[in-house]
Amino acid sequence: MLETTIAGSLPKPEWLAEPEKLWAQWRLEGASLEYGKRDAALMWLKQQEDAGIDIVSNGEQFRQHFVHGFLQQVSGIDWNIMTPMGIRDNRYVVDVPTVTAAVSRKGPVHSSEVRFTRAHTKRLLKFTLPGPMTICDTIADNYYGRRSDMAMAFAEILNQEAAEIAALGVNVIQFDEPAFNVFRDDVKDWGIEALHRAIAGLPCKTAVHICYGYGIEENVKWKKTLGSEWRQYEEIFPAINRSRIDQVSLECANSKVPMSLLRLLRDKEVMVGAIDVASHTVETSEQVAATIKQALQYVDAARLFPCTNCGMAPLPRDVAVGKIRALSGGANLVRRSLG
Ligand code: ZN
């Protein structure tokens, strides 16, 4: 009950990549880089286990960014044509590669890191992949013409990748769809359909992560424009509740999301964000417990998984360690109080 997990990324150690940065450059190369990624993943598995996290991940130590790490192994994308794009509805401009032909996988993308991670922990293992809509919002299109068509093409190759990862013993595959909170009509028109294509036939649990973005300046500014109550989830939850996805990962702690919206996910398992990733202040276990208890008013304990709000990649390493300990500590407090 109240099994804890993290949304996805954890900070890269300072010897592996420049700290406290998204898209940070690697500090190693060649074979040293490959060993470095593995050593970092081992360190984070140990930290999660020591903290008492129930469903662990490799902390995304093997990829530079959650979208482009996957796209690098996809053909049909021209990395020499970098197009400036205002992603997440112009919240920030990033130079993104361009789709110039039908996309296909060059081969397995994450299999070797999954095999490595699976071999080094006995706990339940979660793996994150970018969702089709978010991929389409992080790449320029000079081939498909319609976003929904490009999303279906990416969903197809995500499904091939996910099936391989699941066969290697991953227990939960999560698709990250921060774009769901931005293009809410598209979620209903084709976003869920694309997710269904991505999860088709998977033997493991499936999840979707929908947040308000990493704790970076652009997102913090954007959040200030969203008013006193953030009700974006309200528009998409009914469709998500009807979907075939098993779990939904959400931003709750320190956000202005009304907890009562969790009621709309009555048929889903809910990963409740109980750790704020936009602040360097480490929560106390009591604060985490309070967030979990609030969520328990709307989600019964059997369906509630305490989690972080989002990835922790841009945080200092010791802050992230403190936060996962607080997450576990908070869940323990609530378990005890429930008897
Ligand atoms: Zn997120």
Side-chain angles (χ1 to χ4, degrees):
M1 186 177 64
L2 299 178
E3 287 172 297
T4 50
T5 188
I6 59 167
S9 67
L10 288 160
K12 307 240 174 34
E14 60 297 332
W15 46 261
L16 180 61
E18 198 182 336
E20 296 181 50
K21 245 184 124 170
L22 278 182
W23 316 84
Q25 293 299 310
W26 299 114
R27 282 182 163 165
L28 303 172
E29 52 186 53
S32 301
L33 176 58
E34 295 317 306
Y35 281 122
K37 292 173 180 176
R38 290 177 171 214
D39 292 350
L42 280 184
M43 181 274 288
W44 278 119
L45 285 177
K46 176 74 175 149
Q47 292 281 14
Q48 289 171 89
E49 292 186 358
D50 287 356
I53 300 295
D54 299 295
I55 304 165
V56 300
S57 94
N58 69 21
E60 302 182 10
Q61 301 298 295
F62 293 83
R63 61 186 96 162
Q64 212 167 21
H65 183 267
F66 81 101
V67 177
H68 289 182
F70 181 75
L71 296 185
Q72 268 152 10
Q73 299 305 321
V74 173
S75 60
I77 299 172
D78 193 330
W79 291 80
N80 294 316
I81 309 177
M82 295 298 277
T83 309
M85 188 164 138
I87 71 170
R88 313 291 177 266
D89 203 18
N90 273 324
R91 203 182 316 158
Y92 41 103
V93 176
V94 184
D95 286 335
V96 297
T98 306
V99 174
T100 55
V103 293
S104 62
R105 279 192 326 157
K106 295 174 190 166
V109 181
H110 296 295
S111 286
S112 77
E113 69 180 271
V114 169
R115 224 175 262 121
F116 177 83
T117 312
R118 182 67 285 176
H120 287 281
T121 183
K122 293 191 168 54
R123 300 223 172 160
L124 292 172
L125 183 61
K126 170 168 154 178
F127 195 84
T128 54
L129 287 169
M133 182 185 286
T134 299
I135 289 180
C136 293
D137 193 43
T138 318
I139 193 164
D141 176 25
N142 199 10
Y143 177 77
Y144 286 99
R146 283 203 327 186
R147 250 191 189 193
S148 53
D149 291 346
M150 185 160 78
M152 282 304 160
F154 276 111
E156 177 62 38
I157 55 179
L158 284 166
N159 183 249
Q160 295 163 9
E161 178 70 16
E164 282 173 9
I165 289 170
L168 293 171
V170 165
N171 308 95
V172 184
I173 294 183
Q174 172 181 298
F175 292 91
D176 292 338
E177 287 284 29
F180 268 26
N181 246 347
V182 184
F183 307 105
R184 297 181 292 281
D185 288 333
D186 291 343
V187 171
K188 290 169 265 183
D189 289 345
W190 53 266
I192 304 247
E193 196 187 335
L195 267 189
H196 280 161
R197 184 73 208 85
I199 66 167
L202 295 184
C204 61
K205 269 201 182 168
T206 59
V208 61
H209 167 72
I210 310 164
C211 63
Y212 287 79
Y214 288 117
I216 57 173
E217 201 188 333
E218 291 85 346
N219 291 335
V220 173
K221 273 195 212 144
W222 173 62
K223 288 175 181 181
K224 289 195 177 125
T225 69
L226 297 178
S228 59
E229 269 202 340
W230 302 350
R231 304 196 72 95
Q232 284 76 11
Y233 285 151
E234 192 170 25
E235 294 175 46
I236 55 174
F237 277 180
I240 290 169
N241 192 55
R242 287 191 299 270
S243 77
R244 293 194 290 275
I245 287 274
D246 301 311
Q247 302 185 328
V248 189
S249 159
L250 302 171
E251 175 163 341
C252 301
N254 265 353
S255 78
K256 293 186 180 143
V257 173
M259 281 280 196
S260 58
L261 296 183
L262 299 185
R263 245 192 220 124
L264 299 171
L265 294 173
R266 64 180 64 85
D267 302 312
K268 299 292 148 193
E269 293 180 342
V270 185
M271 288 182 259
V272 171
I275 294 289
D276 180 8
V277 300
S279 158
H280 286 199
T281 307
V282 175
E283 288 83 350
T284 63
S285 295
E286 287 74 15
Q287 285 170 323
V288 171
T291 305
I292 297 171
K293 281 182 181 165
Q294 266 185 303
L296 277 170
Q297 295 175 36
Y298 308 102
V299 182
D300 39 87
R303 291 190 292 118
L304 198 160
F305 295 71
C307 187
T308 58
N309 273 354
C310 186
M312 293 198 278
L315 288 176
R317 202 215 284 211
D318 55 343
V319 170
V321 171
K323 282 176 180 275
I324 62 174
R325 286 186 186 157
L327 177 64
S328 178
N332 281 335
L333 285 178
V334 180
R335 281 183 197 129
R336 248 175 266 142
S337 74
L338 293 175

